[in-house]
């Protein structure tokens, strides 16, 4: 089974995220990067499936050159190879542009199953997996908290508010996995050493047959209009109970229309 994992490489959790006031984009250059923990779970799920059924796991990421560190982490975990879409022309892509690029890169590989994380840990729009499935023309099976494959059939437990639904699809398909689906393995020394020899294919937008006006800032139909800091939390109201505390709380809740 050929599995593609779409995984984002993001500013490390130790980095204080800054937004460039001019471009209104997250400052990604010059900060430490890591494989998104959500993507690590997607890689782990791919590895577990290939350990059971055989096959390959290919990580695909779109990102700046600093993304290499995260790609190497996935390879050290055990992914077979990787694809890096690396091109200044794709900077400024919105979610649709991102999905277009990732789908074009996936189409250049043999694949039976695409695994994404439900949402990334930095932008978490949660839109990209559905859009990739659309461009690939395969069913999206989402919010998976357990995956089983039998022949060309995939069955997932789809997380719901009250428990889970069982959803089946034939392959090829795209699965978006929920956070907490597994505990990703830590790369071992042997894996780290062998990762250095594994193939990372690098594509530009042109390699993927995408014109400059289809991707990046030029192709983006989403525009960030304003950004601002969340308002500071106001100090809480202290109610001292001198016999009327309950009434004061009820009046307060009525005032803010909670009751
Ligand atoms: C106007 C505008 C300009 C932007 N400019 C930039 C920019 O210059 N650089 C930039 O990095 N972002 C930029 N962004 C943000 C960019 O659109 C999102 O990072 C990207 O579309 C993914 O969105 P998300 O992380 O919310 O995806 P989600 O839908 O939350 O991601 C879900 C899953 O999709 C897959 N996925 C998503 N993105 C990638 C990826 N890059 N590689 C591999 N798999 C992926 C992963 O499996 C991920 O877990 C811009 C956004 C806007 C609106």
């Amino acid at each position: 089974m050929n599995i593609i994992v779409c995984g984002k490489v993001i500013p490390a959790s130790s980095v204080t995220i800054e937004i460039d006031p001019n471009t209104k984009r997250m400052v990604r250059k010059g900060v430490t990067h890591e494989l998104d923990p959500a993507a690590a779970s997607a890689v782990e799920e791919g590895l577990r499936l290939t350990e059971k059924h055989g096959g390959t796991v290919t990580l695909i990421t779109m990102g700046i050159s600093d993304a290499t560190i995260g790609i190497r982490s996935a390879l050290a975990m055990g992914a077979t190879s990787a694809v890096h879409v690396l091109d200044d022309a794709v900077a400024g892509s919105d979610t649709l542009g991102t999905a277009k690029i990732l789908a074009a890169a996936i189409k250049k590989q043999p694949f039976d199953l695409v695994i994404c994380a439900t949402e990334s840990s930095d932008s978490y729009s949660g839109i990209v997996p559905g859009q990739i499935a659309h461009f690939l023309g395969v069913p999206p099976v989402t919010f998976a908290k357990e995956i089983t494959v039998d022949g060309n059939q995939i069955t997932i437990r789809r997380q719901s508010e009250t428990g889970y639904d069982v959803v089946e699809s034939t392959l090829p398909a795209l699965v978006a996995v929920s956070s907490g689906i597994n505990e990703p393995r830590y790369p071992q020394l042997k894996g780290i050493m062998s990762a250095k020899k594994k193939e990372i294919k690098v594509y530009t937008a042109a390699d993927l047959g995408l014109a400059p006006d289809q991707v990046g800032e030029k192709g983006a139909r989403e525009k960030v209009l304003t950004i601002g800091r969340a308002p500071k939390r106001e100090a809480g109201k202290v109610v001292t109970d001198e016999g009327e505390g309950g009434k004061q709380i009820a009046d307060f809740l009525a005032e803010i229309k909670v009751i």
Side-chain angles (χ1 to χ4, degrees):
M1 182 165 43
N2 294 308
I3 298 179
I4 305 283
V5 174
C6 289
K8 208 171 171 186
V9 180
I10 63 171
S13 52
S14 55
V15 170
T16 306
I17 300 288
E18 299 284 345
I19 305 289
D20 182 324
N22 298 316
T23 62
K24 301 189 183 69
R25 288 191 219 152
M26 195 183 289
V27 176
R28 294 175 190 272
K29 283 199 174 147
V31 300
T32 310
H33 276 67
E34 67 182 13
L35 181 65
D36 181 357
S41 285
V43 173
E44 176 64 36
E45 212 49 37
L47 294 174
R48 290 185 189 189
L49 287 172
T50 53
E51 280 158 7
K52 219 170 180 180
H53 304 283
T56 58
V57 175
T58 304
L59 177 89
I60 297 190
T61 197
M62 179 188 104
I64 58 176
S65 56
D66 303 47
T68 312
I69 190 167
I71 297 173
R72 292 273 175 221
S73 296
L75 295 173
M77 284 174 72
T80 322
S81 62
V83 170
H84 188 177
V85 182
L86 175 63
D87 187 348
D88 285 345
V90 303
S93 292
D94 58 6
T95 53
L96 194 63
T98 304
K100 223 179 259 176
I101 293 158
L102 292 173
I106 293 166
K107 279 184 185 168
K108 283 176 95 73
Q109 327 300 320
F111 74 92
D112 304 295
L113 178 63
V114 178
I115 306 181
C116 291
T118 293
E119 56 185 13
S120 67
S121 308
D122 64 346
S123 310
Y124 45 87
S125 67
I127 306 174
V128 172
Q131 293 172 328
I132 297 174
H134 166 78
F135 287 119
L136 294 176
V138 302
V141 194
T142 54
F143 296 103
K145 57 181 214 170
E146 193 182 298
I147 304 175
T148 46
V149 172
D150 186 7
N152 84 332
Q153 173 145 320
I154 182 163
T155 306
I156 66 147
R157 285 190 177 185
R158 183 179 203 272
Q159 197 175 310
S160 74
E161 270 182 23
T162 47
Y164 62 86
D165 304 321
V166 176
V167 181
E168 289 176 353
S169 167
T170 49
L171 296 175
L174 178 146
V175 176
V177 298
S178 293
S179 62
I181 186 170
N182 56 42
E183 183 69 41
R185 67 195 68 187
Y186 282 106
Q188 303 294 317
L189 186 62
K190 197 169 155 228
I192 295 168
M193 296 311 285
S194 68
K196 291 182 182 161
K197 293 185 214 128
K198 290 183 181 173
E199 185 188 16
I200 303 177
K201 284 185 206 156
V202 178
Y203 294 144
T204 61
D207 293 335
L208 299 173
L210 295 165
D213 59 353
Q214 284 181 284
V215 294
E217 201 137 17
K218 283 191 192 151
R221 287 191 263 163
E222 249 176 279
K223 294 262 175 280
V224 180
L225 300 179
T226 53
I227 46 166
R229 293 201 178 274
K232 279 201 176 140
R233 284 181 73 170
E234 288 174 17
K237 186 173 177 178
V238 178
V239 175
T240 309
D241 185 17
E242 287 168 350
E244 291 253 304
K247 184 178 179 309
Q248 280 186 54
I249 291 172
D251 288 347
F252 172 72
L253 293 176
E255 191 187 315
I256 61 170
K257 298 192 169 48
V258 173
I259 55 171

